[in-house]
Amino acid sequence: MSEVPSSRQTRRPDRAALVIAPVLLVLAGIIWWDAGRLAEMTNYSRIGPSTVPHVIALGLALLAVWTGFEAWRGDFPEREPVEVQPVVWIVAGLAGQMLLLKTAGFSIATGVLFALTAFGFGRRKLWISLPVGIAISFVVFIIFGRFLQLSLPAGLLEHLFF
């Protein structure tokens, strides 16, 4: 009977996770330092404004140690290859929304974000997803801008109806 070598013997330390672990530790240190600068306002209890940030910093530090240990042992599963094209379409949608928000208004800018995000996720019919995104965004504008009285940037479409 032949033995199959275990995958644990052939696994090497995960270099990406070995980079992530110290980054998490540095982030925990920054949060701990910043939380220590908060004014202590504990009049009658030990819980103050720095309690939750300290807990988050401790959690991040524990996560950093755990990530480093698991990375060194090579226990992380194999990652799938990264597809860059969908990320580019989503980032283009966010950039388009930021650029169009003041000039075109909330509904059109968010409709562009919706359409390019749908395109990035595989919906290739922009001529359908753009009007659907604008319509959904216009309903959101009505709910938040008119009913809840929040200030959203109005554009051509919003001025046409209101």
Side-chain angles (χ1 to χ4, degrees):
M1 181 185 276
S2 65
E3 287 188 33
V4 176
S6 71
S7 64
R8 189 175 292 247
Q9 293 172 351
T10 60
R11 300 291 301 262
R12 287 185 252 154
D14 190 342
R15 288 185 285 174
L18 284 174
V19 170
I20 291 171
V23 169
L24 286 173
L25 197 58
V26 167
L27 184 62
I30 291 171
I31 292 173
W32 185 272
W33 172 76
D34 194 41
R37 293 182 17 195
L38 292 173
E40 290 295 327
M41 297 181 203
T42 56
N43 293 334
Y44 58 90
S45 69
R46 293 180 163 197
I47 297 176
S50 66
T51 304
V52 173
H54 278 128
V55 170
I56 291 172
L58 282 174
L60 279 174
L62 289 174
L63 183 63
V65 170
W66 185 17
T67 301
F69 181 70
E70 294 292 317
W72 186 258
R73 288 181 37 189
D75 284 345
F76 282 108
E78 291 292 324
R79 287 183 285 283
E80 296 179 10
V82 177
E83 294 184 31
V84 177
Q85 187 179 9
V87 175
V88 169
W89 283 108
I90 294 169
V91 169
L94 286 168
Q97 184 192 30
M98 287 188 290
L99 291 172
L100 291 173
L101 204 56
K102 294 276 185 184
T103 57
F106 178 81
S107 298
I108 294 174
T110 308
V112 168
L113 171 64
F114 178 86
L116 291 179
T117 302
F119 192 85
F121 279 110
R123 180 73 177 172
R124 300 293 179 210
K125 298 178 181 176
L126 281 175
W127 57 275
I128 292 176
S129 58
L130 184 62
V132 168
I134 291 173
I136 292 171
S137 302
F138 187 67
V139 170
V140 170
F141 178 83
I142 291 171
I143 292 170
F144 283 91
R146 294 294 164 197
F147 295 145
L148 297 177
Q149 300 294 318
L150 295 176
S151 176
L152 295 174
L156 176 68
L157 185 63
E158 292 86 4
H159 288 302
L160 186 65
F161 286 98
F162 301 110

